[in-house]
Amino acid sequence: MLKVIMEYLSKKVVCFGGGTGLPAVLSGLKQNPWLELSAIVNMFDSGGSSGELRDRFGILPPGDVLKCLLALSKHEQGAREILLKRIENKKYSGHTGGNVLLLGFEKVFGNHADAIDALGQLLSIQGKVIPVTHEQSTLCAEYQDGTIYKSETNVDDGIKEGKVLRRLFLEPEVMASKEALESIHSADVICIGPGSFYTSIMSNFLPKKIKKTIAKSKAKIIFISNLLTESVGMKDYCTDKFITIVEKYIGRKVDIVIFNKSLPNKDVLNRYALEHKYPVIIGKNSKSDSRFIFADLWTDSNIARHDSLKLANLISGLISQKNK
Amino acid sequence: MLKVIMEYLSKKVVCFGGGTGLPAVLSGLKQNPWLELSAIVNMFDSGGSSGELRDRFGILPPGDVLKCLLALSKHEQGAREILLKRIENKKYSGHTGGNVLLLGFEKVFGNHADAIDALGQLLSIQGKVIPVTHEQSTLCAEYQDGTIYKSETNVDDGIKEGKVLRRLFLEPEVMASKEALESIHSADVICIGPGSFYTSIMSNFLPKKIKKTIAKSKAKIIFISNLLTESVGMKDYCTDKFITIVEKYIGRKVDIVIFNKSLPNKDVLNRYALEHKYPVIIGKNSKSDSRFIFADLWTDSNIARHDSLKLANLISGLISQKNK
């Protein structure tokens, strides 16, 4: 009987996402000791510290990896204090300690998979952080006006300029990492989102074999809708559209959609409106869609972020449901 | 008036020591916000993880540096949990995270001074950790039987075998680091000890210009006597002898000697006696020596270690005394 309960509770969960969204999911889910977590992380970051280190040293960008490692750490608070601090040095200005550390470990161990593994050991992480690919590539977007923008930050800029994205692609095409494919293959649950929709989330489905492996997977797929749309080029995106796009990129139906139903006060929304970010709207089809779960998920602050614990407990509850 | 008080309290303190002894001093002293601390660290470590990294990569050994950085950190507890954990990797077995991190930083920044500085920034250290030299060298000892042992661990082994040390030297001779000389030059107080007497403490005085700079210094010099002697070759060392040797190595008189007056129970002492370690004995001359301060300093445990807070508060008190 105990064995049955354990099998029933114990699930392999694979999470896709980015920025601050994915760490929020992980930070909550790691508190459920029954789950075996894998975070599959985007390797196409081109902005900030991470992008500069990538350009300068030809390494894979460490930023999102670091955030996920911290989120999964048993010593999260202490580790954040140390590893998110920026180093001042005459040659390297303003890089976070953790990024430089991953760079240093990559130099010591000779490859980034071992570097990530070593830092994961030091941080006593609850789960795994898996690069979606071990190869270098640049994220590119073709917009409806026919223009093509290259690199993650430029792709985002295109959307900010009001361009509507038609096609997202990698240059060059790269193969997914073996570990990413294995974790998808054996997953009981796949969580998608939150995070920058195209650059952090959809980009993960581009390396070869990812889409096919998800399409074949028997995992329950949970899509966690963002709280807000992202700038001008996505202003008319409603849940219908988000779900259609996700399903196109993963080649399979989503089983559950988690949608935030509560909004903060007008001042906060007005502030985001200045950046052309608006609450995601329920589409016509979504209204009668039985896959939707509506919950109060906006964190108790003025920042557009999912409440990590509420989200994690909701996901845990959904995971242990017998029927999809 | 306030300025006077501040000048009176605010002192530059330079500490020499090693192993677990120096970190104990630093960990306590960092809690006195008036002190400007510098730990000058031995770079001749040849044992364990540190020595292996030195041999394998030709870097300066990180072990003592790491311990001092941790001791001076604002986040000491959290940092210890992360950086003292050992990494398991097919190529690198059992090195502490902090040692590999310093190695990685040295590869990124190109020199160990910047690596130490960067880790110090991440750990928000209260003070500075300064390598006694930036050059590589091997610690050697000539014993009274004429034999010569080379490398720090072998020098220790010689003493364990019962050999009496006649001369300690470096091969090759190296220059002291500029930062070490500057900190000694501007010091108000110099603390010497505790730590392995020859290999961790006296070895610091060997790089060129260290002795001369201390000899010329107007700093108050405090010698903190070890609790126990070290193995067979030092069994007849009493305080008289320790002080004579220290004064020979630094070329100046010591101003204050801190000596532990309380001992743990017999079981603990018997355990140490099995390793040929005995409580340090007061010498004939020391009995009437007005420089001696006797205090209850054995930490509240079965381990031969100075109580960090008691020692630090005693030193702080001595520092602010007007007369030597």
Side-chain angles (χ1 to χ4, degrees), chain A residues 205-274:
Chain A
F205 306 131
L206 298 177
K208 284 183 215 169
K209 290 207 177 172
I210 293 278
K211 179 175 177 176
K212 206 167 146 188
T213 310
I214 298 179
K216 273 196 209 164
S217 150
K218 294 207 168 61
K220 190 186 281 191
I221 297 187
I222 302 176
F223 173 59
I224 301 149
S225 169
N226 283 338
L227 303 169
L228 304 175
T229 59
E230 294 153 70
S231 62
V232 195
M234 288 170 75
K235 68 174 184 297
D236 64 340
Y237 276 45
C238 65
T239 51
D240 291 359
K241 186 151 183 179
F242 278 118
I243 293 166
T244 307
I245 298 170
V246 170
E247 293 180 340
K248 189 182 92 186
Y249 274 84
I250 64 174
R252 232 204 72 179
K253 281 261 165 202
V254 160
D255 297 298
I256 296 172
V257 180
I258 294 180
F259 187 82
N260 169 58
K261 68 173 184 184
S262 69
L263 291 173
N265 65 48
K266 278 207 163 170
D267 289 350
V268 177
L269 292 180
N270 287 339
R271 184 161 50 78
Y272 279 109
L274 294 175

Side-chain angles (χ1 to χ4, degrees), chain A residues 132-198:
Chain A
V132 71
T133 177
H134 293 314
E135 299 167 29
Q136 292 228 17
S137 186
T138 300
L139 187 66
C140 308
E142 185 187 322
Y143 300 93
Q144 280 187 352
D145 62 6
T147 52
I148 288 177
Y149 278 21
K150 295 180 180 185
S151 98
E152 185 227 2
T153 39
N154 290 335
V155 170
D156 263 339
D157 285 347
I159 299 168
K160 275 182 201 147
E161 290 163 18
K163 289 176 185 286
V164 178
L165 198 140
R166 185 157 65 193
R167 187 169 69 96
L168 198 67
F169 61 100
L170 293 175
E171 199 175 273
E173 283 194 57
V174 291
M175 181 53 74
S177 70
K178 212 179 84 198
E179 306 90 299
L181 295 176
E182 280 169 3
S183 68
I184 295 167
H185 179 73
S186 62
D188 297 304
V189 177
I190 295 173
C191 292
I192 298 172
S196 298
F197 187 70
Y198 285 112

Side-chain angles (χ1 to χ4, degrees), chain B residues 170-235:
Chain B
L170 292 175
E171 199 176 271
E173 282 194 57
V174 291
M175 181 53 72
S177 69
K178 213 179 81 195
E179 306 90 298
L181 296 175
E182 280 170 2
S183 68
I184 296 167
H185 180 73
S186 62
D188 297 303
V189 177
I190 295 174
C191 292
I192 298 173
S196 299
F197 187 70
Y198 285 112
T199 52
S200 289
I201 311 180
M202 295 307 110
S203 57
N204 274 310
F205 306 131
L206 298 176
K208 284 184 215 166
K209 291 206 176 176
I210 293 278
K211 179 175 177 175
K212 207 168 144 186
T213 309
I214 298 179
K216 273 196 208 162
S217 151
K218 295 207 168 60
K220 189 185 283 192
I221 297 187
I222 303 176
F223 173 59
I224 301 149
S225 169
N226 282 338
L227 302 169
L228 303 176
T229 59
E230 293 153 71
S231 62
V232 195
M234 288 170 74
K235 68 173 184 299

